[in-house]
Amino acid sequence: MRLDPVEATAADVLPRLRAVLDGTGPALGLGGADAAPVGGADAAPGGGADAAPVEAPEGTAAVITTSGSTGLPKSVVLSRAALLASADATAARIGQGAWLLALPPGYVAGLQVMIRSLRAGHEPIVLAGRFEPAAFAEAARALPAGARYTSLVPAQLQRLLAASDDDEVAWSLRAFETILVGGQALPAATLERARDAGARVVRTYGSTETCGGCVYDGRPLDGVGITIVCGEVRLSGPTLADGYLGDPELTDRAFATDADGTRWYRTGDAGVVDDGVLRVSGRIDNVIVSGGVNVSLDRVERVVREVPGLASAVVVGVPDERWGEASVIVATRSDALRRSASARLDEARRAVGAALGAPARPARLLLVDELALLPSGKPDRAAIRRAAAARA
């Protein structure tokens, strides 16, 4: 099946997406610009001019090249059936209505916003340009009457809350039937503040390989299965990707079929299921060894983000002459934080030490003007790690 590489703007994606959903158009090639081409008449894996073109399997709706936040980009093959199963399961859980697109349309979360809105018979309202609270509020006003929905990453929600002294921004937080928040862990303090502001927030968990969020507030959508194998979260159900384009070995490593014939996606995340609720503790491989002790950077980051002024901080590992490796907090510079950076670091070290033990305490707090972000809106952890190591 031919792929149609698409410029990742809503104006380009939407008309092609309609053709994909009604079965008349070619599969969409979307995702990171830094990745290898995903196929089509002039594309080949690795970009070699003489390599044979790669086409998507029949039934493919989109091939999304992931942003590679912790590793190399991968081109994920999503079928029309899987994308529609995800959209319909979301509607069954939170309802149908008009959606505001505030996420990049070339990644799965943005793509699903458009699919859900079209599925409900509404043209999605698109927030163009850089995310700004005032523009978001104006776009929310443009949604038709009735149930309204949107999907955000935590940093966007934090910006809206920071600007909620403005009446229009405050109204926009209350205007939505549901605000889905995913892409990374949402700090508990941010969630509490959002709910105090009247926002109806639902935390989502999933990935491109699961057509986006498939676990809402810890509970799987209809048809989605969860199991824990050797501490790793695995997911099943009709929303799973077919695999990775042109990479059967990687597909076999990431997707496993059990003796009953159920196909599971190995998320690479550590977690537990407690009374039917999934609790994810972080990436299995996002661990450093500091002074001979394994330290989960995800767990450290979760504690650090509860410290006032550090809600958007990123924690990365860097080489350390004494301990082998150490964790560093990287946060954006602000007047309040700049005046009290030392106190914030001390507070973060005390909180982490109390929660996780002394070896997990961050060594430094590094202030930057802006955190490096991927096109998907997630922190570019590889770039942040390199910057932190260079300033060690």
Side-chain angles (χ1 to χ4, degrees):
M1 182 174 187
R2 183 173 65 86
L3 282 176
D4 183 13
V6 178
E7 188 73 23
T9 66
D12 289 316
V13 173
L14 267 170
R16 292 170 172 83
L17 180 59
R18 290 190 186 90
V20 167
L21 295 181
D22 67 20
T24 63
L28 304 179
L30 300 168
D34 57 341
V38 294
D42 300 315
D50 298 327
V54 175
E55 294 199 348
E58 286 300 318
T60 299
V63 176
I64 300 180
T65 300
T66 63
S67 51
S69 58
T70 57
L72 294 174
K74 299 166 290 188
S75 294
V76 184
V77 179
L78 301 176
S79 70
R80 177 178 178 273
L83 286 168
L84 291 179
S86 176
D88 292 346
T90 293
R93 178 64 57 87
I94 65 172
Q96 278 191 328
W99 284 76
L100 169 57
L101 175 64
L103 297 171
Y107 291 92
V108 70
L111 188 68
Q112 282 288 29
V113 165
M114 292 185 286
I115 293 173
R116 295 174 195 133
S117 202
L118 293 174
R119 196 79 166 153
H122 294 282
E123 185 79 6
I125 297 298
V126 178
L127 179 62
R130 184 182 176 89
F131 184 89
E132 295 292 345
F136 178 87
E138 183 179 353
R141 286 285 186 191
L143 287 164
R148 303 179 178 100
Y149 300 89
T150 193
S151 183
L152 304 173
V153 295
Q156 292 173 321
L157 179 60
Q158 288 160 356
R159 290 199 64 190
L160 292 171
L161 291 169
S164 60
D165 287 345
D166 181 284
D167 289 344
E168 279 296 292
V169 175
W171 170 85
S172 72
L173 284 164
R174 302 188 301 270
F176 294 92
E177 187 74 20
T178 302
I179 299 176
L180 300 180
V181 180
Q184 62 190 102
L186 178 65
T190 303
L191 176 61
E192 182 179 0
R193 187 179 175 193
R195 288 176 173 169
D196 287 346
R200 291 173 285 274
V201 171
V202 171
R203 294 162 295 170
T204 70
Y205 170 74
S207 65
T208 306
E209 289 86 347
T210 61
C211 286
C214 62
V215 180
Y216 284 17
D217 282 338
R219 297 189 180 277
L221 296 179
D222 294 347
V224 174
I226 302 175
T227 190
I228 309 297
V229 179
C230 298
E232 180 188 42
V233 179
R234 297 189 181 185
L235 302 170
S236 67
T239 69
L240 291 194
D242 290 344
Y244 301 105
L245 187 68
D247 200 335
E249 292 184 5
L250 181 59
T251 298
D252 289 343
R253 289 199 300 272
F255 296 87
T257 302
D258 64 19
D260 296 331
T262 302
R263 187 167 175 263
W264 297 90
Y265 169 58
R266 297 166 169 159
T267 66
D269 291 327
V272 297
V273 176
D274 182 11
D275 196 23
V277 177
L278 174 65
R279 305 190 190 283
V280 178
S281 56
R283 295 291 298 174
I284 289 174
D285 55 359
N286 196 21
V287 172
I288 62 172
V289 181
S290 186
V293 177
N294 288 347
V295 175
S296 167
L297 297 178
D298 292 301
R299 295 181 69 190
V300 174
E301 184 174 281
R302 189 170 291 111
V303 175
V304 165
R305 287 184 168 187
E306 299 303 324
V307 175
L310 298 176
S312 299
V314 173
V315 175
V316 296
V318 298
D320 185 90
E321 289 185 3
R322 182 178 182 185
W323 303 110
E325 290 179 289
S327 62
V328 173
I329 304 168
V330 184
T332 54
R333 185 178 287 109
S334 68
D335 288 339
L337 187 55
R338 183 165 54 245
R339 288 195 299 269
S340 58
S342 178
R344 287 288 187 265
L345 176 59
D346 289 343
E347 188 176 351
R349 283 173 57 82
R350 285 194 299 270
V352 171
L356 306 175
R361 293 178 302 187
R364 291 186 295 121
L365 170 58
L366 176 63
L367 299 181
V368 296
D369 292 329
E370 288 186 335
L371 288 172
L373 298 177
L374 295 160
S376 60
K378 298 178 184 179
D380 187 341
R381 295 181 183 274
I384 294 169
R385 188 183 305 113
R386 288 193 300 269
R391 293 174 59 173

